[in-house]
Amino acid sequence: MSNARATHLTRRGILAAGGALGLGAALAACGDDDAKSGGSDATTAAKSGPWSFKDDRGKTVKLDETPKNIVAFTGVAAALYDYGIGVKGVFGPTKTKDGKPDVQAGDMDISKVTILGNVWDQFNVEKYAALAPDVLISTMFDGAGTLWYVPEASKDKIAQLAPSVGISVYDRQLTEPLQRMWALAASLGADMKAAKVTDAKKRFEEAAARLRKAAKAKPEIKVMAASAADTLFYVSGTNLSIDLEYFKALGVNFVEPPEKAKAKGGGWYESLSWENVDKYAADIIMMDDRTSAIQPADITKPTWKKLPAVKAGQVISRSPEPILSYDKCTPLLTSLAEALEKAKKVS
């Protein structure tokens, strides 16, 4: 496994970014690439004239007109939707196996967007071209500018069809990419003074203050961020992940696997066998909510059920790939603050 700070991440390392997740069958269960025609029912604000935006690779995209045919990674599209900006197409986890919206789709009506790919390494270039895209937008989980969920094998063909914008979610606190997505939405014509938008930001700030207060009141409570797969249990360190780095900055006391143990996870996480899930003492466990990970209610391993935090009912969900709008990130802070407020020392 190459280190996550290197210029290239392996498939496993990239998929683990922001918190480890199970591969194989679990990943395949994300869905298929059935396309849905149409566009998001979010309203793209009318804005005329030249458009430019400098992304987190330092690249400035310049167009004669504000982009209208936008294609984006699902989580990015969901964030833009919250700001009133619609997209034509999406790629990344959008639809679950039973056809329902994936957690990363947020409030979007997924029947109104073209799904170019629903799982890793899946991106229908022909359908992408048919959308006549003005711009492609995704996040980046490394320092090399790798666009999330854009397949390595077809990235050059995709790049020829439209310019791209990358928003970094690598090795920084949550507030930074939130601000960048805010700036991007504003450039695309979103009304950033709308009450819905300003109220959401205010709620986020209030939730951050609540989490800081809760963490300060219970410094002895140890929190573990983890993810479940069929054969392995992954424990994430706070370094590199935007949510965990921010929560730690607010005072939350996290389990931190040593760097040597995280080496195989590219610096993101430590892999444990299910027999060793009790390696770290934890009072609260935050579990990966992505569809590619096994959810707590479906974990049948006896060793899991014996963990003090599990027995105490002190398990909450975590979004390793947060939808980067203040509206969607506020519940993440509120959930952890509430868990800390109620938590008992069990480890």
Side-chain angles (χ1 to χ4, degrees):
M1 165 59 71
S2 57
N3 189 280
R5 293 181 184 274
T7 57
H8 175 71
L9 284 173
T10 66
R11 176 175 183 244
R12 190 182 186 92
I14 288 180
L15 283 168
L21 56 87
L23 300 175
L27 184 62
C30 285
D32 56 34
D33 69 340
D34 288 345
K36 296 290 184 179
S37 298
S40 169
D41 57 357
T43 302
T44 302
K47 186 179 179 183
S48 59
W51 178 82
S52 69
F53 187 82
K54 186 176 182 179
D55 75 358
D56 292 340
R57 297 170 296 184
K59 295 183 178 180
T60 299
V61 176
K62 295 182 179 180
L63 299 173
D64 293 337
E65 295 286 340
T66 301
K68 292 181 175 59
N69 291 349
I70 301 170
V71 172
F73 171 68
T74 301
V76 170
L80 291 176
Y81 178 93
D82 285 351
Y83 291 125
I85 302 297
V87 305
K88 292 292 185 180
V90 295
F91 55 95
T94 307
K95 183 173 59 176
T96 61
K97 195 168 148 182
D98 57 5
K100 294 180 181 179
D102 188 273
V103 64
Q104 294 191 62
D107 293 332
M108 281 193 303
D109 182 345
I110 62 172
S111 69
K112 294 184 177 181
V113 294
T114 298
I115 301 174
L116 302 174
N118 200 55
V119 298
W120 185 254
D121 251 357
Q122 190 180 75
F123 191 113
N124 192 311
V125 180
E126 289 72 25
K127 288 179 182 177
Y128 178 57
L131 291 175
D134 294 321
V135 67
L136 178 148
I137 310 171
S138 191
T139 48
M140 301 181 297
F141 277 92
D142 64 14
T146 304
L147 296 173
W148 191 228
Y149 267 81
V150 173
E152 182 71 21
S154 55
K155 68 176 185 179
D156 292 339
K157 289 182 180 178
I158 293 168
Q160 291 172 6
L161 295 169
S164 62
V165 167
I167 300 296
S168 180
V169 289
Y170 172 70
D171 197 16
R172 61 202 61 204
Q173 293 181 25
L174 177 61
T175 45
E176 187 173 342
L178 271 173
Q179 291 162 2
R180 294 291 289 141
M181 192 63 70
W182 174 287
L184 176 61
S187 79
L188 292 169
D191 181 3
M192 309 315 284
K193 293 183 179 179
K196 177 184 176 183
V197 174
T198 57
D199 288 351
K201 188 174 183 182
K202 182 180 179 181
R203 288 195 302 273
F204 177 88
E205 292 166 350
E206 291 171 345
R210 179 182 176 182
L211 179 54
R212 186 188 297 276
K213 181 180 178 181
K216 185 176 181 180
K218 292 188 177 178
E220 76 281 2
I221 297 298
K222 202 79 172 176
V223 180
M224 179 166 67
S227 185
D230 286 331
T231 59
L232 292 171
F233 183 80
Y234 304 95
V235 178
S236 297
T238 57
N239 189 32
L240 306 181
S241 298
I242 56 171
D243 61 329
L244 302 185
E245 285 201 11
Y246 184 52
F247 298 157
K248 183 179 181 181
L250 291 175
V252 178
N253 183 11
F254 280 99
V255 167
E256 296 281 8
E259 291 304 314
K260 184 177 180 180
K262 293 192 297 178
K264 290 183 179 179
W268 295 87
Y269 62 89
E270 177 181 3
S271 306
L272 298 175
S273 67
W274 280 101
E275 289 74 23
N276 295 314
V277 295
D278 60 352
K279 179 176 179 178
Y280 299 107
D283 304 295
I284 295 173
I285 302 176
M286 301 175 69
M287 293 298 291
D288 188 340
D289 69 354
R290 292 174 291 186
T291 49
S292 46
I294 300 175
Q295 298 306 300
D298 299 319
I299 300 175
T300 59
K301 307 290 186 181
T303 48
W304 162 259
K305 295 180 179 180
K306 291 178 181 179
L307 293 177
V310 175
K311 292 170 70 175
Q314 295 179 174
V315 178
I316 63 173
S317 65
R318 175 199 170 208
S319 298
E321 294 182 56
I323 293 172
L324 296 172
S325 72
Y326 287 102
D327 180 69
K328 293 299 180 293
C329 286
T330 296
L332 310 182
L333 277 69
T334 302
S335 173
L336 182 52
E338 185 176 286
L340 280 168
E341 291 164 355
K342 295 179 179 179
K344 296 179 180 179
K345 186 69 178 175
V346 294
S347 64

